[in-house]
Amino acid sequence: MPAPIWWTQINYGPVANEQIQLADVDGDGKDDVFWANPYDGRWYISYGATSLWSVGGAVNVPYDQLRLGDLNGDGKDDVFWIRPWDGDWLVSYGAVSGWAIINNSNIPVAQIRLAATGSAP
C-alpha cells in the first residue's frame, strides 16, 4: 500500500478559491498565485506559490472582472480589465504597473477569454 500523501501549507490568508488565479506574473516559468482581495481592494501575489504575499499593482477592481495573460509577449502574465462604464480595455503589465488603456469595446468582461499563445506544432 502506498504511503499517504500529506498536504503542505505554503501560504495562508482569508482567501476563497474563486478569488485566486494562477499566472506567471514574474516570467520565471512557474505559476504565481494572484489574489484580488475584495476586502481592501489590493492585489496580492505569492511568487511560485511559495513566497509570502507581496502587494501587486492596481487596486479596487472586483476579482471576477479580471483576466490574466501575457498581452505584450514579454513572458510575464499581465492583468486585463474592461472598465464597465466606458468600455476601455486596461492592462497592468506584470501585475505591478498602473493601468494603461490599450483598446475600447462594448464587450462585457464575462465574455472575454484570453487565448494561449506560443509555438504550435
Side-chain angles (χ1 to χ4, degrees):
M1 185 159 135
I5 298 173
W6 302 101
W7 289 97
T8 301
Q9 180 176 330
I10 56 175
N11 212 331
Y12 62 93
V15 182
N17 284 337
E18 65 270 7
Q19 297 168 357
I20 295 291
Q21 296 189 52
L22 300 177
D24 184 10
V25 298
D26 61 359
D28 67 355
K30 296 184 267 183
D31 278 342
D32 308 306
V33 179
F34 175 90
W35 173 34
N37 185 337
Y39 305 108
D40 68 6
R42 294 183 179 188
W43 299 349
Y44 294 89
I45 301 164
S46 173
Y47 295 101
T50 58
S51 72
L52 295 177
W53 292 115
S54 298
V55 177
V59 296
N60 293 322
V61 176
Y63 61 85
D64 60 345
Q65 294 183 14
L66 300 172
R67 302 292 181 264
L68 282 89
D70 184 3
L71 299 178
N72 60 356
D74 67 354
K76 299 176 186 179
D77 284 335
D78 310 304
V79 182
F80 175 80
W81 176 48
I82 298 176
R83 201 163 41 203
W85 55 87
D86 62 8
D88 281 348
W89 294 13
L90 296 105
V91 63
S92 170
Y93 294 108
V96 295
S97 74
W99 289 119
I101 297 172
I102 58 172
N103 209 332
N104 184 286
S105 78
N106 295 331
I107 300 170
V109 72
Q111 296 178 8
I112 297 289
R113 301 289 180 266
L114 299 178
T117 59
S119 57

